[in-house]
Amino acid sequence: MENINNISKKANAGEDFYLLLGDFLDTFYKALPEIQMQIICDPPEDMDKQEYVPFLASTVHKLANDYSLIPPQWIFEKRCYLSGKSPHFACNAKGNLRLLFMYKSPSEFKHRNLFVDENVLSRV
């Protein structure tokens, strides 16, 4: 079963982070609440790209809030926030797209200085 720690292990081994995230989200959305809690409770390993751990923490924070789950404590660790003062914008956004992401980004992502589209966790 896909969980947060598996994403970090596989991404560090060279697999595509966003494909792994999609697989995780598919698993999460199909799972019963007690299983949902299990797959978000283990923290990720340190990851090669600096923004991945904060992105995973934001994802788990948003999912926990949306599904009335207790957020795991690991999402509040220092490493789950972008270090430095520079924000990270999805898609290397510039100009008006940055403004849109600043407005639309879910608060769980903004809280960690990550700016994404509002449907970042949506699946088709």
Side-chain angles (χ1 to χ4, degrees):
M1 172 175 24
E2 224 25 89
N3 65 37
I4 293 298
N5 196 32
N6 286 346
I7 293 173
S8 62
K9 287 178 183 176
K10 291 177 180 179
N12 281 339
E15 292 187 44
D16 184 270
F17 174 78
Y18 295 102
L19 290 176
L20 295 166
L21 180 67
D23 290 344
F24 165 79
L25 290 171
D26 290 341
T27 300
F28 181 88
Y29 292 141
K30 292 177 193 173
L32 297 171
E34 56 272 9
I35 302 299
Q36 288 175 329
M37 195 64 213
Q38 287 177 7
I39 64 177
I40 66 171
C41 68
D42 291 332
E45 295 180 351
D46 286 334
M47 299 182 72
D48 294 338
K49 284 202 165 185
Q50 180 188 358
E51 71 271 11
Y52 285 171
V53 170
F55 193 94
L56 289 174
S58 300
T59 297
V60 167
H61 198 174
K62 174 101 174 93
L63 292 172
N65 286 344
D66 288 353
Y67 286 83
S68 301
L69 302 171
I70 299 168
Q73 286 303 302
W74 68 262
I75 68 172
F76 302 109
E77 294 173 2
K78 183 178 179 180
R79 71 190 182 111
C80 293
Y81 294 82
L82 281 182
S83 59
K85 296 181 182 182
S86 297
H88 177 79
F89 288 90
C91 309
N92 292 319
K94 305 283 186 233
N96 288 338
L97 186 55
R98 279 188 176 211
L99 294 175
L100 180 68
F101 285 168
M102 289 171 74
Y103 176 71
K104 297 276 189 174
S105 189
S107 61
E108 297 87 355
F109 286 81
K110 288 180 187 178
H111 179 72
R112 291 176 176 83
N113 219 13
L114 296 168
F115 296 92
V116 297
D117 192 30
E118 65 189 325
N119 64 1
V120 66
L121 303 181
S122 296
R123 301 292 291 156
V124 181

